[in-house]
Amino acid sequence: MQSEQMRSLQGSAGKLLNRLPDDLSATGAADTEELLDEALGEVAKGMEEPAILAMIQSYAASVGQAQNKEDIEAFVSANFPQTELPRLLALVSAMSDADVAAFYERAVIDAARLTSIARMQMSLGIIACQEDFPFNSPEGFDAVSELLPISWTRSGVN
């Protein structure tokens, strides 16, 4: 069930990266930023789940940071396939100051949406009945945790 929810979030992340209503930017539609957003969303659709999750984490980390084109270039270079970098970096290079501001405005909104989705998933996991989970005992939790790629879920891992 958790795996299916993660796959669903992967689709949601791609959709979030694809959206830019004109009213998100204080200066109106930011043309180059919108083109970059569409391109990032399209590329993200073809990426594997671990890469998408790492990209989302990096994207959300940009909230509240200094707004500059160099950091957007670094984000794109670190999180997207090499084969797509020339096109994506050309779009970043063409961004105006208004486009850069719009990128960071979108990051704030997208991060809030992703946080809301994550909170909903966590809340559901906390309030669901124990019989719905294969780990309703410490031993069961340890057995299921060993199957997960996240090491901090395992007992004895700090």
Side-chain angles (χ1 to χ4, degrees):
M1 185 169 66
Q2 293 286 340
S3 176
E4 288 301 317
Q5 290 169 350
M6 290 302 292
R7 284 188 192 93
S8 174
L9 288 175
Q10 176 181 353
S12 297
K15 289 177 186 172
L16 287 173
L17 287 174
N18 251 340
R19 294 186 196 153
L20 177 64
D22 289 349
D23 60 350
L24 292 185
S25 173
T27 60
D31 295 336
T32 307
E33 191 275 341
E34 185 173 356
L35 292 172
L36 175 64
D37 182 64
E38 290 172 4
L40 294 177
E42 285 302 313
V43 172
K45 288 179 184 177
M47 292 168 51
E48 296 292 323
E49 186 175 320
I52 289 175
L53 293 174
M55 181 267 299
I56 290 171
Q57 182 179 13
S58 177
Y59 181 63
S62 69
V63 171
Q65 301 299 315
Q67 299 183 1
N68 63 68
K69 197 183 295 189
E70 293 77 20
D71 287 346
I72 298 172
E73 289 173 349
F75 162 75
V76 170
S77 295
N79 291 286
F80 290 89
Q82 291 289 327
T83 56
E84 299 290 342
L85 289 183
R87 176 174 65 109
L88 298 175
L89 292 174
L91 287 168
V92 174
S93 179
M95 292 173 76
S96 67
D97 290 343
D99 292 319
V100 171
F103 177 89
Y104 287 96
E105 288 174 23
R106 180 194 310 278
V108 169
I109 292 166
D110 288 347
R113 287 180 182 156
L114 290 169
T115 300
S116 176
I117 291 168
R119 282 184 185 152
M120 182 179 68
Q121 295 298 327
M122 293 294 287
S123 295
L124 179 62
I126 291 170
I127 63 171
C129 298
Q130 274 198 8
E131 64 269 10
D132 292 338
F133 293 97
F135 51 81
N136 59 2
S137 69
E139 295 78 19
F141 178 81
D142 288 342
V144 170
S145 295
E146 288 298 321
L147 302 174
L148 300 175
I150 306 167
S151 62
W152 57 263
T153 62
R154 297 185 196 117
S155 295
V157 176
N158 295 326

